[in-house]
Amino acid sequence: MSDSTTHPQMKVRPEARPAQPAAREEEHPRLDAARLVHVLLQAPLNIIVVAVSLLWLLPTAGLLVSSFRPAQAISQSGWWTALVPPYHFVLDNYIQVLTANGMGQGFINSLIITIPGTILPILIGSFAAYGFAWMNFPGRDWIFIVVVGLLVVPIQMTLIPILQLYNTLHLTGTFPGVWLAHTAYGLPLAVYLLRNFFQSLPKDLFESARLDGATERQIFFRIVIPLSVPALASLTIFQFLWVWNDLLVALIYLGGDPRVAPMTVTVSNLVNSYGSNYQVLTAAAFISMLLPLVVFFSLQQYFARGLLAGSIKG
Amino acid sequence: MFQRRRSLTSWLWVGPALLILAGYLVYPVIVTVYESLMNSSLSRFVGLDNYIWAFTTESPLLALRNNLFWIIVGTTATVGFGLVFAVLADRVRFESAAKAAIFMPMAISFVGAGVIWKFMYDWQPPGIPQIGLLNAMLSTIGGWAAANHVVLLWIGAIAGVVALVTFLIALVRVRTFLLSALAIIIFPLAILGVGWLASAVQAVSEITPSDLALLVVVIQLVLALAAVVSFIYAMMHDTWGQISIVGAVIAALCLGLLYLASFQPVTWLQNETTNNWALVAVYVWIWTGFCLVVLSAALKGVDAEILEASRVDGANEFQVFAQVLVPMISTTILVVATTMIINILKVFDVVYVMTSGNFNTDVIANALYFQAFHFEDFGRGAALAVILLAAVVPVMLFNIRRFREEEGMR
């Protein structure tokens, strides 16, 4: 919020101010008309937002319809042709995915991998982001730049050296091995995004807290974390779904062991064992999408305006 | 003494992250830099040979060029759409549903997204029913437009003239230097465009597709310019400007439809004029949700009172957006743009799944993958990875400058 003092000043038109009280008085009797005008002005906005949303959903709708069609029909006619009678929807694709060997275990494994794989990088990342944003130590800016620069490292580049390391440390095929890998791959973005949000908190807050004798730990847990909830929520959503949908890291570091394989690996085995039968992917994509969407909607409430409102003036 | 203890405490905060990063990312980078100086089987030191190969051979150079195209188009589109949609969604009641729609592609696993876009871009020879939505839709619309081309030409011409006239009226009413200067450029173009249109209407039965294409390009250019200017003007509450926009949109729509009259199904992913755009479109479809969610979180941090104050001071919505909202979340915009540039720099999945880098769509990360894991030339693969790392330096330097400014401000 440090920007608030520097934002470009709006020119105040001299005649605008005196007109203000008059407008206030008129407001009351005209309430209904004003509401009508408001609704009419909102209409184009609503139409644009709805239109863009529908456009964005169109490809996914195609996938949804296709997931209920028999394999043969998918490759012979467009998915939209299924929307006119005679309807011919089947659950084959879903049944095939849900009854596949090890799917239940895969779901549990996915959860075991994803929950620590989401919490760890955000926790460790927010510690580091706090250090980079509000502490002074030699080389701080350069170290931070290197951390952000590591975003560009392609995961494929790290696989072989890390796998060799894992084999000597006996971390291959274990959950902690995958947790740490996901933590490492998620950290640069977490540190970068969170430092930006922590930095934008008002400086006075930290100064007065430190003057009151608060320790860094207290400042972090009682001030920084509660005020950064929208940022933490958005990061949680993404880290969650990246780990949840990950196939590469799981394949390499967990190997083929079905006892630890997440859902993505089970599904990919299913597709391979049926040859080029990609139609099971349509159903699998929807099943695996459900949980990230639940996370998204349940974190929506933290995207509320005004979380900072009380703190700035305080 | 006190200073040293403070410094020690801060290492405790950043330490765990740095340790993990050192093991998982810095160590492989060092290994890669070393490997990039070795031959294909990593058995002999070859100096800079792999880099010389990368900068003198056609295929890696093409990948570099494509990456540049990706960065420019992809970053602009994801960050731009994300920002505009975050602001628009902020004002509607169904905000979380609208945001979920844009976010949804992010939640789909990559293999799923590959299947989805197969249903969009699929191509069948003309005459056979199209399975791809894009080709099916454009063929259907094109058929309809071909059947109604006379009507479309007339509606387009009338709407265009209305747009032009109302636009000129709006111009005259503004009388600012800038707009007059624009008018001097636009007017001859507009005359030219209408002239083309008139001759096209005369020769309605013998229009060739290429004539139409040129006509459409010229007129749409004029209308786009007119629309931009009149849009700004309409923002200042002028009826003429608004009429002009509507006219321009209708005219552009009619001309676009006429252009489709000669549509033949396109092989979106093989055709070299469309394929890179088609791939970037998939990427934008996926990643706009990321930009939207992060920028939206930042917007929620902007104090509503500041926005209200500038509205009371007489700023219209566009000014509030450009002069208050954007500057206030500029750091977040920079952060999101930086993240997107870096993500796009190492784009791999979209290209690998949809074209494998064929038909001139190769990008560095894909070339890297093929060098290392298919051609088993680890030296060249590593060199490409190091080039990728080096490419991020200018972006980071820009960030450092920004940090310094920030530091000075608070």
Side-chain angles (χ1 to χ4, degrees):
Chain A
M1 218 37 53
S2 56
D3 284 348
S4 62
T5 48
T6 56
H7 81 86
Q9 288 173 353
M10 302 303 306
K11 291 228 165 62
V12 180
R13 288 186 306 184
E15 73 273 22
R17 294 281 179 163
Q20 210 51 37
R24 283 271 159 78
E25 281 160 28
E26 278 175 48
E27 210 173 62
H28 205 68
R30 278 209 204 158
L31 198 62
D32 286 323
R35 191 176 291 164
L36 189 70
V37 168
H38 182 73
V39 169
L40 283 178
L41 283 176
Q42 282 285 77
L45 176 71
N46 284 323
I47 292 168
I48 291 171
V49 173
V50 170
V52 175
S53 306
L54 289 180
L55 185 73
W56 234 260
L57 286 176
L58 193 63
T60 320
L63 187 74
L64 180 66
V65 174
S66 299
S67 70
F68 290 106
R69 301 181 74 201
Q72 220 193 349
I74 292 179
S75 55
Q76 276 177 355
S77 57
W79 58 265
W80 56 93
T81 56
L83 295 176
V84 288
Y87 299 112
H88 185 49
F89 292 123
V90 291
L91 286 173
D92 292 3
N93 298 328
Y94 285 91
I95 292 168
Q96 220 176 342
V97 173
L98 290 174
T99 58
N101 243 347
M103 198 52 79
Q105 187 63 44
F107 180 80
I108 293 166
N109 288 340
S110 278
L111 280 180
I112 295 175
I113 291 168
T114 307
I115 293 170
T118 306
I119 295 171
L120 275 176
I122 290 177
L123 196 70
I124 296 174
S126 55
F127 288 151
Y130 178 64
F132 284 123
W134 292 103
M135 289 173 170
N136 271 316
F137 53 93
R140 183 188 67 174
D141 288 358
W142 288 104
I143 297 172
F144 178 67
I145 283 302
V146 170
V147 170
V148 180
L150 289 176
L151 266 173
V152 84
V153 177
I155 288 185
Q156 297 94 320
M157 210 171 109
T158 66
L159 298 178
I160 295 170
I162 298 298
L163 196 62
Q164 286 165 346
L165 214 64
Y166 269 25
N167 284 334
T168 47
L169 295 172
H170 300 292
L171 277 171
T172 320
T174 65
F175 286 128
V178 187
W179 294 339
L180 280 173
H182 280 305
T183 306
Y185 298 142
L187 263 178
L189 184 68
V191 173
Y192 189 34
L193 282 186
L194 290 176
R195 178 202 167 273
N196 166 53
F197 274 92
F198 293 171
Q199 183 99 50
S200 69
L201 296 173
K203 193 184 183 183
D204 308 348
L205 222 59
F206 292 86
E207 281 175 353
S208 53
R210 279 176 188 158
L211 276 180
D212 290 345
T215 64
E216 297 292 348
R217 209 185 52 195
Q218 286 168 327
I219 297 176
F220 180 76
F221 283 108
R222 301 217 184 131
I223 300 175
V224 175
I225 292 296
L227 289 180
S228 306
V229 167
L232 290 169
S234 50
L235 200 61
T236 306
I237 292 171
F238 289 113
Q239 183 66 22
F240 182 90
L241 65 92
W242 282 323
V243 178
W244 183 258
N245 283 333
D246 160 77
L247 175 63
L248 188 64
V249 174
L251 264 183
I252 302 286
Y253 297 142
L254 287 175
D257 191 348
R259 284 172 303 171
V260 288
M263 244 164 72
T264 46
V265 173
T266 322
V267 169
S268 108
N269 287 340
L270 183 68
V271 174
N272 291 339
S273 65
Y274 283 85
S276 60
N277 263 2
Y278 67 81
Q279 82 277 358
V280 290
L281 282 174
T282 56
F286 270 94
I287 295 167
S288 68
M289 210 166 96
L290 288 178
L291 204 60
L293 284 183
V294 169
V295 173
F296 177 81
F297 278 110
S298 54
L299 289 179
Q300 270 300 308
Q301 52 176 309
Y302 298 111
F303 289 100
R305 188 180 301 287
L307 281 168
L308 264 174
S311 68
I312 300 169
K313 283 138 222 144
Chain B
M1 182 63 201
F2 182 69
Q3 198 60 37
R4 256 182 70 194
R5 256 192 53 203
R6 282 295 286 275
S7 172
L8 211 80
T9 329
S10 25
W11 287 112
L12 283 178
W13 285 81
V14 297
L18 294 185
L19 269 179
I20 294 178
L21 288 173
Y24 282 84
L25 295 174
V26 177
Y27 162 67
V29 166
I30 294 168
V31 171
T32 308
V33 172
Y34 164 77
E35 288 178 356
S36 74
L37 303 171
M38 306 293 279
N39 70 350
S40 58
S41 58
L42 305 178
S43 57
R44 192 168 50 84
F45 181 80
V46 295
L48 293 176
D49 279 7
N50 291 322
Y51 293 94
I52 294 168
W53 165 83
F55 285 111
T56 54
T57 316
E58 176 59 26
S59 66
L61 281 176
L62 175 82
L64 278 169
R65 266 205 307 277
N66 281 339
N67 258 81
L68 194 67
F69 169 83
W70 269 83
I71 287 176
I72 294 168
V73 179
T75 311
T76 319
T78 48
V79 180
F81 287 161
L83 179 62
V84 170
F85 202 76
V87 173
L88 292 182
D90 194 34
R91 289 142 190 250
V92 298
R93 286 187 190 180
F94 45 94
E95 182 184 3
S96 69
K99 270 158 64 180
I102 311 288
F103 165 85
M104 206 169 285
M106 283 237 90
I108 297 175
S109 61
F110 206 81
V111 207
V115 179
I116 293 184
W117 284 89
K118 192 186 146 54
F119 294 136
M120 294 297 284
Y121 288 148
D122 187 86
W123 176 88
Q124 301 291 328
I128 293 174
Q130 298 291 328
I131 300 175
L133 180 64
L134 221 46
N135 276 329
M137 223 159 68
L138 293 177
S139 302
T140 312
I141 297 172
W144 178 85
N148 299 291
H149 68 281
V150 181
V151 181
L152 282 172
L153 262 178
W154 278 107
I155 297 176
I158 293 167
V161 170
V162 170
L164 195 73
V165 171
T166 49
F167 167 67
L168 288 176
I169 295 173
L171 257 191
V172 171
R173 284 158 57 107
V174 178
R175 285 182 209 155
T176 60
F177 173 74
L178 181 75
L179 287 178
S180 316
L182 267 174
I184 292 167
I185 305 164
I186 290 170
F187 199 63
L189 278 173
I191 296 289
L192 202 70
V194 173
W196 271 92
L197 193 67
S199 66
V201 172
Q202 273 180 351
V204 96
S205 49
E206 299 116 9
I207 301 171
T208 65
S210 62
D211 277 346
L212 259 181
L214 196 62
L215 177 76
V216 169
V217 168
V218 171
I219 295 188
Q220 280 182 341
L221 204 71
V222 173
L223 291 176
L225 270 172
V228 169
V229 178
S230 54
F231 181 69
I232 296 166
Y233 192 70
M235 282 294 176
M236 302 174 204
H237 316 290
D238 187 272
T239 333
W240 294 105
Q242 287 162 351
I243 296 173
S244 181
I245 293 176
V246 175
V249 168
I250 294 174
L253 210 68
C254 290
L255 290 166
L257 285 172
L258 280 174
Y259 181 62
L260 284 182
S262 55
F263 179 81
Q264 294 291 316
V266 175
T267 50
W268 300 102
L269 294 174
Q270 283 85 48
N271 184 322
E272 289 179 9
T273 50
T274 58
N275 58 9
N276 276 311
W277 291 96
L279 292 176
V280 174
V282 178
Y283 192 88
V284 170
W285 178 72
I286 296 172
W287 280 90
T288 298
F290 170 79
C291 299
L292 169 71
V293 170
V294 177
L295 289 170
S296 179
L299 278 183
K300 302 300 178 192
V302 174
D303 197 342
E305 280 176 32
I306 294 171
L307 299 182
E308 211 40 58
S310 45
R311 282 188 193 118
V312 169
D313 287 350
N316 61 43
E317 287 308 311
F318 185 74
Q319 287 171 326
V320 170
F321 174 73
Q323 294 173 15
V324 186
L325 222 44
V326 170
M328 285 199 70
I329 61 165
S330 62
T331 353
T332 309
I333 297 175
L334 177 80
V335 167
V336 173
T338 304
T339 312
M340 287 316 297
I341 289 176
I342 294 178
N343 279 336
I344 292 177
L345 211 53
K346 59 171 182 180
V347 60
F348 170 73
D349 307 17
V350 176
V351 177
Y352 180 74
V353 171
M354 306 208 67
T355 64
S356 298
N358 292 315
F359 319 112
N360 286 345
T361 58
D362 210 5
V363 287
I364 302 178
N366 189 65
L368 182 168
Y369 177 83
F370 272 91
Q371 283 299 337
F373 297 106
H374 280 246
F375 310 140
E376 309 226 314
D377 192 327
F378 292 101
R380 285 180 178 176
L384 287 173
V386 175
I387 291 171
L388 212 59
L389 288 175
V392 85
V393 170
V395 184
M396 289 295 107
L397 288 179
F398 185 77
N399 267 277
I400 293 183
R401 223 184 65 191
R402 182 69 204 213
F403 296 148
R404 295 276 149 82
E405 283 167 16
E406 236 173 68
E407 204 76 353
M409 257 157 50
R410 59 173 196 178

